[in-house]
Amino acid sequence: MENAILLLKHVGYLAVLRDMESFNFSKSLLSKRFEKMIVEEEKKKEGKNEKLLADLCECFVLLNQFCISKELLSIVLPCLLKVGLDKDESEETQKEVEMAFLALSNINEYAIIDKNMYFSEMKEIIQHHQEHNNLTRLAYHSAWEFVIKRFCLDGSLEDVISNELHFAKEAIKELEELMNCVDWKRTKEEREKESQEEKVLLRWLLTLEYFLGSCLLWNEKYSELIRCVVQVYQTAKGNNEEIGSRCIYSLSMAAKNRAMKNEDLLNGGAVNAILKENQLPTMDDVNTQISLKFLISITGRLKGKKKEKMKEEHRKGLKRKMFEKMEEEGYEDVITSFHGIFVLLEGCLYPFISLNVCDYFVNV
């Protein structure tokens, strides 16, 4: 049993780190067996094995992000938080803490969890790390990932996330440090195997997609966060295409968010980065679609189709500045040319369009 659990924890660890979803695990006999063992171990009044229970919970959640019942969540959550609260800085404990947080980060964002079950503990864990730097990079990100996924359904968390835990500031710090740790000048053969830092950097960008698409309380750090994502994109371009694509998608999510200011996107370099991206002959269809949606959001804002909380004179000045930038890059005709397919791109069918769109886009 001990060896089987160790193996499954390793499998789950790699699956989550590589963003591989185990759709069929929840229907398997193994999943049912885990559920039964977790419930039975939790119900023991004497001789409860806390280490075994934590291992079982980690295996189950690492392999199953979709179908976790309320009953199991009420067992799994406090068990993993208890592991995460261990402040011992030994290497063995650090690895167990990392595994617990990675498991927590894998819980689906649509799982309904009362914030009283976790938020005070997560706040303590994050603040303790900010003071003592006691978590691994992966563990710290995973703690944030869990919190940001909960924020997607519970907007009441945003004030604490932004103004007490300083998410934007922390994300900028982590992105910059990870970016400096990666050897971007590796050969093509060496780049085929991603470093641990690249994996964590990619996970931060995935987390930013949730946050930038949902945040409502404007914070001056947001423009710095946009600038940092653009910097990651420019550094990763040509070296790690997956990270580059995730940067573009994060910027697209920010452009769709009505709380994000046009100045943040313009001054942060997002508009310029997207415009230059679309002129590359190596651009693929996916990045083209994402970039077009970014431009759709920007032009929609500037044409006043959606209300902006700014003075009309200021809005017109910003609009003129933005369109001058687009005209300077030769995009006036591009926007017009693609006007006919904007409706499709904004609708539910846009991921399935196959029009060799990137070739046409570059030619225009």
Side-chain angles (χ1 to χ4, degrees):
M1 176 66 75
E2 184 177 339
N3 288 337
I5 289 175
L6 183 62
L7 173 62
L8 287 169
K9 281 176 67 172
H10 186 63
V11 170
Y13 177 89
L14 292 176
V16 174
L17 205 55
R18 296 177 182 178
D19 198 29
M20 298 169 63
E21 297 175 337
S22 307
F23 289 103
N24 295 323
F25 177 77
S26 61
K27 300 176 183 177
S28 69
L29 293 175
L30 181 58
S31 176
K32 305 302 178 188
R33 177 64 176 156
F34 268 121
E35 291 184 36
K36 186 173 184 293
M37 293 173 69
I38 290 170
V39 172
E40 287 177 350
E41 194 64 37
E42 171 64 20
K43 286 183 177 179
K44 287 182 180 178
K45 295 184 178 179
E46 295 182 4
K48 182 189 294 186
N49 187 332
E50 297 286 354
K51 178 67 168 61
L52 174 61
L53 180 60
D55 286 341
L56 291 170
C57 289
E58 286 170 2
C59 284
F60 182 74
V61 180
L62 285 168
L63 293 169
N64 182 9
Q65 70 178 123
F66 294 104
C67 303
I68 305 178
S69 66
K70 287 184 178 181
E71 179 187 12
L72 275 177
L73 277 173
S74 67
I75 300 172
V76 166
L77 203 55
C79 177
L80 296 183
L81 284 172
K82 186 176 181 180
V83 175
L85 283 163
D86 191 338
K87 296 180 175 64
D88 181 6
E89 296 188 18
S90 68
E91 185 176 347
E92 183 180 356
T93 300
Q94 286 288 292
K95 193 63 181 177
E96 286 303 315
V97 169
E98 181 181 275
M99 191 72 78
F101 282 133
L102 190 66
L104 284 171
S105 74
N106 199 46
I107 296 176
N108 191 275
E109 62 267 28
Y110 298 111
I112 299 175
I113 307 174
D114 187 336
K115 65 182 177 183
N116 293 323
M117 292 178 62
Y118 67 87
F119 197 68
S120 61
E121 290 88 346
M122 293 304 300
K123 182 179 176 181
E124 177 187 339
I125 288 164
I126 289 171
Q127 288 180 327
H128 185 79
H129 173 78
Q130 290 172 350
E131 292 178 14
H132 304 282
N133 196 34
N134 64 303
L135 300 175
T136 66
R137 290 191 188 280
L138 179 57
Y140 187 52
H141 165 266
S142 297
W144 269 117
E145 172 82 352
F146 174 78
V147 172
I148 297 300
K149 280 184 174 179
R150 309 284 71 78
F151 158 63
C152 290
L153 286 183
D154 187 355
S156 68
L157 301 176
E158 184 172 4
D159 183 52
V160 178
I161 288 172
S162 296
N163 299 320
E164 290 187 44
L165 298 178
H166 312 291
F167 174 73
K169 177 184 175 182
E170 291 296 303
I172 292 169
K173 178 175 71 70
E174 292 295 314
L175 288 174
E176 289 177 342
E177 290 180 1
L178 286 163
M179 190 167 47
N180 291 330
C181 288
V182 174
D183 179 9
W184 299 105
K185 296 182 180 180
R186 291 172 297 167
T187 64
K188 184 177 180 180
E189 290 74 21
E190 291 173 332
R191 290 202 302 268
E192 289 179 358
K193 186 176 181 181
E194 283 186 320
S195 65
Q196 181 78 356
E197 289 80 12
E198 285 174 292
K199 290 186 176 77
V200 180
L201 179 56
L202 184 60
R203 287 175 62 80
W204 269 106
L205 291 169
L206 288 165
T207 303
L208 287 176
E209 290 175 17
Y210 290 113
F211 182 76
L212 292 174
S214 304
C215 59
L216 295 176
L217 302 177
W218 186 83
N219 186 305
E220 62 182 10
K221 281 288 180 182
Y222 290 176
S223 59
E224 294 181 36
L225 185 55
I226 295 295
R227 185 178 293 108
C228 187
V229 173
V230 171
Q231 185 181 0
V232 173
Y233 163 71
Q234 291 170 337
T235 303
K237 187 170 54 177
N239 296 299
N240 188 312
E241 297 306 322
E242 188 175 7
I243 287 177
S245 294
R246 281 297 162 189
C247 289
I248 293 174
Y249 195 78
S250 295
L251 296 175
S252 176
M253 294 299 290
K256 289 172 64 177
N257 187 346
R258 306 323 302 166
M260 193 64 62
K261 293 188 175 183
N262 283 326
E263 290 94 329
D264 297 331
L265 299 168
L266 187 63
N267 297 334
V271 175
N272 194 50
I274 294 293
L275 293 177
K276 288 188 179 301
E277 168 68 18
N278 283 306
Q279 295 178 0
L280 298 176
T282 55
M283 181 118 176
D284 61 26
D285 284 345
V286 174
N287 282 355
T288 301
Q289 291 174 2
I290 296 170
S291 299
L292 282 172
K293 289 183 74 66
F294 177 92
L295 294 174
I296 291 167
S297 300
I298 290 293
T299 53
R301 287 166 178 263
L302 297 176
K303 289 178 181 178
K305 291 180 179 178
K306 297 182 180 178
K307 293 182 179 179
E308 293 268 346
K309 294 182 178 179
M310 60 173 71
K311 293 181 179 178
E312 183 63 16
E313 183 179 346
H314 178 64
R315 188 188 73 81
K316 287 182 177 179
L318 189 62
K319 175 179 177 179
R320 184 167 53 254
K321 184 177 180 181
M322 194 81 80
F323 277 126
E324 283 174 358
K325 169 61 69 175
M326 290 187 178
E327 188 175 9
E328 176 186 329
E329 300 291 346
Y331 268 77
E332 188 175 27
D333 291 336
V334 171
I335 297 296
T336 303
S337 298
F338 274 87
H339 181 75
I341 66 166
F342 277 1
V343 174
L344 286 173
L345 289 169
E346 289 183 309
C348 61
L349 295 177
Y350 83 89
F352 308 105
I353 293 174
S354 179
L355 302 173
N356 295 320
V357 69
C358 62
D359 294 336
Y360 177 65
F361 193 66
V362 171
N363 289 333
V364 171

